Amino acid sequence: MEFNTKVAAPEDVKADCLAVGIFEDQGMSPGARRIDRASGGAVRAAMASGDMKGKRGSVVVLRALPGVAAARVVLVGLGPAAELSDKGFAEAVAAAIRGCGAGVATLAFAAGEWKVAGRGAAAGARALVAAARATAFRSDELKSKATRGEAPSLRRQRITLVSPKRDAALEQGLREGVAIANGVDLAKRLGNLPGNVCTPEFLGAEARKLAREWRLKVQVMDRRQIEALGMGSFLSVTNGSVQPPRLIVLRYEGAGRGGFADPIALVGKGITFDSGGISIKPGAAMDEMKYDMCGAASVLGTLRAIAELKPRINVVGVIPSCENLPSGSATKPGDIVTSMSGQTIEVLNTDAEGRLILCDALTYVQRFKPAAIVDIATLTGACVVALGNVHSGLFTPDDALAGELLAAGRSSGDSAWRMPVDDDYQEQLKSNFADMANIGLPGNAGAVTAACFLARYVKDQHWAHLDIAGTAWRSGAAKGATGRPVPLLTEFVLKRAA
Ligand code: BES
Ligand code: MN
Ligand code: ZN
């Protein structure tokens, strides 16, 4: 999809289709009113007939209206004006795109009315790009051509935002929207790829490709280099797998002033398949554990978006990546491993592997003296129980950092909800034989004790942990990666740079 802006009256825009909004309570939007006037009452007639009542997501297509340059006008129900949430907005945009048909090569939106309630033009443009790109996205690279459907033609569409006068905020919103959508689509693509394709080596190659295309610094370390760093906890997870592990480090240098000072550090869990290991998972829906690298994918997606937008800030991404499988050489329950920090860990459950790879990555990333560290992980089923598929879980003892991340989530339509990490939960991680156990009590604040485990590796750092187990992908008929939390992370970095 291509996006651009145009200064024109809606009735003068030459396009295959023009989308204008109808509110359930206030009736015609300003754009719809202009089309109505130009066409001698065509919109009024559609509303009077009862065909269009403004119900969110409903559409009516009008063709060849007199006085209107666009070949078609799609009237799109926006629901009540005051309530246009991120989700409702995305539904309406998707309805407009589907309503006018995949055959439409150019689709124009009258910009003024296409915005989320209570937000400005820039946020409206961002949300429109996000919704449009989501409508066109498919993971179809492993399908044969004949079964790819309408998506390829949607991806060729040109979408124009029409406004009465030049609007710099609209243009900036569009630019940010496209960059974020590029990051989201990368995260979705990698997330949806199966474990036999998206291996740790594959992620390393993708990181190299990203670095080449966007002039990032990259280092992809192999088992020997990971051993040399002393990452005994990370390596214990990969013992049962024949796929070699990778430690990926990507750097975006935008701050200038020489050197690589005070970066924002993003650390992403990159388990390319999580069978549970010897503590093996039940079979039902185990395929979804290919998504256990969505934290890693969100780091790559965010760096993609940042590299395109070029904010004045430094960012480092660190991705520990391996498989978690059972075999004769796999780590066993009760095994004790030594992390890079020197702390020892009793692995009571090999399925609590995310924290075992992240703790070493968190130790490693501190060599960059980061201004803030955010780790992103599909870490616990318990977080899904707590927050479902709506908010990502945010864990940090740092109130200021929490405020920034929560605000970034709200304004990017990619929300997080704060959860506790206080020391009162730490006693659950006591071990009789090592410095700590890798699990707490069964059925007892599992998302919190996982965060508390990580907290032991980031003393005196500005650190936050995002548990995206419930938000990184959706199950069922609409199964697929969501690309979250790329919008939240990108917004966080942009705000820090501003
Ligand atoms: N990758 C899983 C977490 C997960 C499970 C995410 C289900 C989404 C859906 C993680 O590695 C894991 O297995 N966690 C265990 C921890 C437990 C053994 C303490 C869990 O949540 O059951
Ligand atoms: Mn696991
Ligand atoms: Zn896992």
Side-chain angles (χ1 to χ4, degrees):
M1 272 179 167
E2 263 180 68
F3 296 84
N4 62 2
T5 59
K6 200 173 218 169
V7 177
E11 64 271 22
D12 297 331
V13 178
K14 289 196 193 68
D16 295 334
C17 188
L18 169 73
V20 294
I22 308 290
F23 293 110
E24 202 165 354
D25 48 355
Q26 299 175 4
M28 281 185 244
S29 63
R33 215 168 291 131
R34 286 199 68 124
I35 294 300
D36 188 58
R37 225 175 297 131
S39 65
V43 181
R44 199 167 299 267
M47 292 174 72
S49 70
D51 287 356
M52 171 48 68
K53 295 178 173 144
K55 219 175 115 45
R56 181 161 310 141
S58 63
V59 291
V60 171
V61 181
L62 307 173
R63 276 161 220 277
L65 296 184
V68 176
R72 307 170 184 73
V73 171
V74 58
L75 308 179
V76 186
L78 297 177
E83 293 168 23
L84 200 49
S85 65
D86 293 290
K87 201 157 158 254
F89 180 89
E91 271 169 34
V93 172
I97 290 172
R98 295 218 176 88
C100 70
V104 159
T106 55
L107 171 60
F109 287 83
E113 58 220 59
W114 291 92
K115 58 181 178 224
V116 179
R119 296 222 208 116
R126 271 200 201 188
L128 192 137
V129 175
R133 289 279 297 265
T135 310
F137 180 87
R138 301 285 186 290
S139 272
D140 54 10
E141 68 192 281
L142 299 178
K143 290 194 184 211
S144 51
K145 274 218 174 76
T147 61
R148 282 186 190 170
E150 60 168 18
S153 58
L154 281 178
R155 279 183 228 138
R156 285 192 295 273
Q157 249 178 17
R158 172 189 292 281
I159 292 186
T160 304
L161 289 187
V162 187
S163 60
K165 55 177 191 298
R166 250 204 99 202
D167 185 341
L170 194 70
E171 275 161 37
Q172 180 60 14
L174 208 64
R175 199 170 92 84
E176 289 172 358
V178 168
I180 293 169
N182 288 339
V184 164
D185 282 6
L186 173 61
K188 284 185 178 180
R189 172 177 165 257
L190 294 175
N192 288 336
L193 283 173
N196 64 330
V197 173
C198 185
T199 59
E201 278 179 297
F202 179 91
L203 281 181
E206 285 288 315
R208 282 219 168 86
K209 214 159 65 183
L210 191 68
R212 207 176 318 120
E213 251 174 79
W214 293 96
R215 296 167 168 275
L216 304 170
K217 297 241 164 77
V218 67
Q219 192 185 5
V220 179
M221 287 178 259
D222 63 12
R223 175 189 292 280
R224 272 202 8 259
Q225 292 166 294
I226 300 167
E227 266 164 16
L229 286 167
M231 295 188 167
S233 182
F234 174 13
L235 286 173
S236 77
V237 176
T238 198
N239 280 346
S241 167
V242 297
Q243 293 291 342
R246 289 290 182 264
L247 179 66
I248 302 165
V249 183
L250 274 164
R251 280 190 284 169
Y252 165 78
E253 299 187 4
R257 321 177 238 130
F260 190 68
D262 315 318
I264 301 288
L266 304 176
V267 178
K269 173 179 174 182
I271 296 287
T272 57
F273 190 78
D274 180 14
S275 71
I278 297 296
S279 314
I280 198 161
K281 289 179 180 293
M286 208 209 267
D287 68 288
E288 296 190 4
M289 282 300 113
K290 73 175 183 179
Y291 289 116
D292 216 16
M293 37 54 71
C294 282
S298 77
V299 172
L300 294 174
T302 301
L303 279 159
R304 167 77 171 76
I306 291 300
E308 189 170 338
L309 291 170
K310 300 189 175 45
R312 288 179 183 286
I313 193 165
N314 294 329
V315 183
V316 57
V318 175
I319 295 169
S321 180
C322 68
E323 284 186 334
N324 186 23
L325 291 180
S327 88
S329 58
T331 295
K332 305 168 290 300
D335 286 0
I336 293 176
V337 301
T338 304
S339 67
M340 183 180 176
S341 72
Q343 300 178 91
T344 59
I345 305 160
E346 186 182 15
V347 182
L348 290 176
N349 189 319
T350 63
D351 198 12
E353 86 296 340
R355 61 200 78 181
L356 295 177
I357 70 170
L358 287 170
C359 67
D360 281 341
L362 287 169
T363 300
Y364 175 81
V365 80
Q366 290 171 42
R367 67 177 52 194
F368 295 104
K369 307 243 176 309
I373 306 172
V374 182
D375 77 70
I376 310 99
T378 48
L379 203 62
T380 65
C383 194
V384 192
V385 174
L387 297 174
N389 312 113
V390 178
H391 305 293
S392 301
L394 169 65
F395 303 78
T396 175
D398 187 324
D399 290 340
L401 185 56
E404 283 179 82
L405 289 163
L406 291 172
R410 261 192 308 272
S411 69
S412 62
D414 182 10
S415 60
W417 198 269
R418 193 169 179 188
M419 302 273 282
V421 245
D422 28 303
D423 286 342
D424 299 5
Y425 294 91
Q426 287 286 1
E427 63 182 82
Q428 285 197 40
L429 297 176
K430 278 199 180 128
S431 160
N432 286 352
F433 311 110
D435 296 343
M436 71 197 76
N438 76 328
I439 55 168
L441 303 171
N444 199 302
V448 182
T449 51
C452 284
F453 179 95
L454 298 177
R456 294 180 180 227
Y457 296 83
V458 284
K459 291 270 149 61
D460 304 317
Q461 301 289 317
H462 296 287
W463 160 79
H465 157 62
L466 284 166
D467 194 331
I468 57 167
T471 52
W473 78 91
R474 306 202 319 159
S475 311
K479 190 191 283 183
T482 60
R484 293 178 67 180
V486 169
L488 181 158
L489 294 170
T490 308
E491 174 78 2
F492 167 67
V493 173
L494 291 179
K495 277 274 145 57
R496 273 270 170 140

